DNA sequence: CAACGTTACGCTCTTCGTAAAGATG
DNA sequence: CATCTTTACGAAGAGCGTAACGTTG
């Protein structure tokens, strides 16, 4: 058995059982991939893929287990390489952060700036996506660290560290009726068209739960992944914006008024997630500490150990 | 990076940093191993081994982590092969049990006989050793299943399932003074030379703790790993035997008298241990169920899942 | 017939084993 | 000087890419 064969296997599955595109992704020839798949099936004495004639149509039962194990092997190989990089050249490498727009735009800039100063030779990537995409990227190893509020803390394979708490605010154009008539209530809010994050109402998240617990159905007219987009449409008078407190900038958003809603929604916690089985480079610990100063290297290691 | 290189690495460490004996163990040439070690060190850009000139004297800090990960990879490769064997030929394979003499001699025979009938094409090995050797063999993958009372349940990497409870008995020659004068007490027992298992007094096990809690020091004159050896010396009048209840056979041990000591020592539990990260062959589930009927395949899988 | 997978074949690069040389204690 | 590791080199083998062929929908 060869590591190459496991890598090929992984890529074929990842590419939706398409050998040709797997070969492309691996920068090698298609017959080579085909051959190696055959060889490993022969060595193991079973079919990993279900086939219809020559087409791959699915994974067999043992195939599923083998692919799972192959993935595990490849993550560990990845970890070995990282150990190598870590010790041969401590300050060089790549850090990929997966996060949501709000975090990337309003919370990370300070940490990123400090990080780039501290580790000038580390290449930094920021992947943006909705919370479940963030979690998936960390799980699959595409990203080293994920930062998000929803869903990341539900993944078994991830260690999640609480970073900070935050709440939401409502933004409206100046002279909007909601600015008068005393404190805002959920009942008042549902009378107006709502513009908010597109994932705020998927899968029983805190916002949707708050409304439904109160027996109310908000009128969500527009959703976006992006606080700036939401604010833009609010400015155009298309509705009332509901977004993270930190996304309102009094200096810049002069054409919008902010209404606190801390009393309507419970605080949310933003988590930072890493794979439990990943080897963390020194600078990754550095980044984590920049975002969540209470998690220094020792604290993270302890959490990893306990979670293991 | 090649799987071969990781295997070589593992074996060199296992052979006490001796490349020559590693090469022997791997049935390959010594320069080949040497070369591959160099290659992987070069690829990772660091030294895995500390060297004094040409001699290997230890592992570097990154080396330790790399060896750890390499071991993990090799276990998963092993699991992949097992999946292959399991599905290509369900009833063929090897089962290696590590256990103590007492279990092998008095508890396993029934299960082993049934197993060999149910799975005639599976080759069965029984490794004997003291409880910590049993645990080590399972941890290292030399044995698939370990059965022992002490120490096996303390290993982090093993899943331990309780099999059955048992207690001890004292055996003496007929007409021994202990047979008269009412129920046996610890105080009486320490007046006589004691012959028992060699691991019964290592590392705070139940027997030694019972004596020390009572403020007594038994006079252990002879220890053995083997109940039959203990009984032999008791027959010779060299002392009083303390051994597992099941090791006394009224039909065969006619020259020895048995005294129950259930009231002196707490029950012990015999555990069955498997690696948490091992893929279990179908017949392994079968063997487990033969020994511990309450652990059928589903129950074991559930325990593995929870432990994970 | 377009997309995809397999077979065939020659080329290159890697690995392995033997033999010999260099270090270590 | 016995043990152990590294270097050197020729032979065997494995993987890769191109080209051609066979299937599937």
């Amino acid at each position: 058995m060869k590591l190459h064969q496991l890598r090929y296997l992984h890529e074929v599955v990842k590419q939706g059982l398409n050998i040709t595109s797997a070969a492309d992704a691996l920068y090698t020839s298609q017959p080579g991939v085909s051959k190696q798949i055959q060889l490993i099936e022969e060595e193991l004495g079973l079919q990993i893929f279900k086939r219809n004639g020559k087409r791959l149509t699915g994974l067999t039962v043992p195939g599923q287990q083998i692919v799972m194990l192959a993935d595990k092997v490849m993550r560990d190989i990845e970890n070995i390489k990282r150990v190598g990089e870590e010790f041969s050249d401590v300050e060089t490498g790549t850090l990929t952060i997966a996060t949501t727009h709000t975090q990337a735009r309003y919370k990370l800039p300070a940490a990123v700036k400090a990080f780039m100063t501290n580790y000038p030779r580390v290449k930094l990537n920021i992947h943006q996506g909705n919370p479940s995409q963030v979690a998936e990227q960390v799980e699959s190893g595409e990203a080293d660290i994920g930062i998000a509020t929803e869903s990341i803390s539900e993944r078994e394979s991830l260690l999640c560290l609480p970073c900070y708490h935050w709440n939401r605010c409502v933004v409206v154009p100046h002279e909007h009726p909601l600015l008068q008539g005393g404190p805002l209530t959920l009942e008042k809010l549902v009378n107006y068209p709502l513009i908010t994050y597109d994932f705020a109402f998927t899968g029983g998240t805190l916002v949707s739960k708050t409304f439904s617990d109160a027996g109310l159905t908000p009128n969500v007219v527009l959703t976006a992944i992006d606080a700036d987009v939401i604010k833009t449409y609010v400015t155009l008078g298309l509705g009332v914006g509901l977004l993270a407190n930190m996304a309102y900038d009094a200096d810049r958003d002069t054409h919008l008024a902010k209404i606190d809603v801390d009393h309507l929604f419970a605080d949310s916690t933003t988590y930072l997630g890493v794979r439990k089985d990943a080897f963390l480079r020194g600078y990754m610990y550095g980044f984590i500490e920049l975002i969540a100063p209470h998690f220094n290297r020792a604290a993270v290691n302890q959490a990893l150990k306990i979670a293991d």
Side-chain angles (χ1 to χ4, degrees), chain A residues 123-155:
Chain A
K123 186 168 182 306
L124 189 65
N125 299 321
I126 297 185
H127 289 187
Q128 250 173 257
N130 65 39
S132 23
Q133 289 171 331
V134 168
E136 273 161 31
Q137 293 208 355
V138 179
E139 259 193 331
S140 73
E142 285 173 80
D144 303 304
I145 295 175
I147 301 169
T149 301
E150 315 278 2
S151 83
I152 196 166
S153 58
E154 295 156 14
R155 305 288 175 125

Side-chain angles (χ1 to χ4, degrees), chain A residues 5-261:
Chain A
Q5 296 171 333
L6 300 182
R7 163 168 289 107
Y8 286 8
L9 207 54
H10 171 85
E11 194 63 37
V12 169
V13 174
K14 191 176 165 191
Q15 298 289 334
L17 307 178
N18 184 321
I19 294 187
T20 305
S21 43
D24 290 347
L26 293 162
Y27 301 103
T28 185
S29 72
Q30 182 271 330
V33 177
S34 185
K35 190 72 186 296
Q36 295 305 318
I37 299 283
Q38 288 170 35
L39 281 175
I40 192 171
E41 285 188 326
E42 188 186 332
E43 178 176 350
L44 294 176
L46 52 78
Q47 287 218 331
I48 294 172
F49 294 103
K50 285 187 207 156
R51 291 179 172 78
N52 218 343
K54 294 192 170 183
R55 301 293 169 98
L56 307 188
T57 58
L59 283 165
T60 62
V61 174
Q64 291 164 19
Q65 304 200 31
I66 290 169
V67 168
M68 222 180 57
L69 286 165
D71 287 358
K72 210 171 151 196
V73 167
M74 286 174 45
R75 281 198 297 274
D76 284 326
I77 295 293
E78 186 58 38
N79 285 341
I80 289 177
K81 289 183 180 161
R82 279 199 188 177
V83 173
E85 288 164 12
E86 176 70 5
F87 284 85
S88 60
D89 197 348
V90 179
E91 306 265 302
T92 307
T94 302
L95 173 62
T96 304
I97 311 283
T99 188
T100 57
H101 171 266
T102 304
Q103 309 296 330
R105 170 78 176 74
Y106 297 101
K107 271 286 179 182
L108 294 192
V112 166
K113 187 179 174 192
F115 180 82
M116 291 176 66
T117 311
N118 293 352
Y119 304 94
R121 298 168 61 202
V122 175
K123 186 168 182 306
L124 189 65
N125 299 321
I126 297 185
H127 289 187
Q128 250 173 257
N130 65 39
S132 23
Q133 289 171 331
V134 168
E136 273 161 31
Q137 293 208 355
V138 179
E139 259 193 331
S140 73
E142 285 173 80
D144 303 304
I145 295 175
I147 301 169
T149 301
E150 315 278 2
S151 83
I152 196 166
S153 58
E154 295 156 14
R155 305 288 175 125
E156 240 325 288
S157 60
L158 303 185
L159 170 72
C160 288
L161 309 173
C163 289
Y164 45 81
H165 306 288
W166 56 275
N167 212 311
R168 294 148 191 82
C169 66
V170 162
V171 293
V172 290
H174 293 298
E175 300 177 18
H176 189 278
L178 277 180
L179 291 169
Q180 290 145 11
L184 190 55
T185 62
L186 290 178
E187 286 76 11
K188 287 188 194 171
L189 204 50
V190 294
N191 292 329
Y192 296 89
L194 203 61
I195 303 178
T196 190
Y197 300 112
D198 59 1
F199 44 85
F201 285 93
T202 57
T205 58
L206 194 138
V207 169
S208 65
K209 197 165 177 310
T210 303
F211 278 108
S212 66
D213 283 356
L216 299 171
T217 306
N219 174 26
V220 181
V221 293
L222 187 60
T223 63
I225 198 169
D226 181 326
D228 289 323
V229 171
I230 295 172
K231 288 191 284 189
T232 303
Y233 286 100
V234 173
T235 308
L236 293 176
L238 298 181
V240 170
L242 173 64
L243 38 73
N245 229 320
M246 57 186 137
Y248 178 82
D249 180 341
D251 293 337
R252 295 173 49 107
D253 299 330
T254 50
H255 40 292
L256 288 175
K258 170 183 166 187
I259 308 172
D260 277 324
V261 292

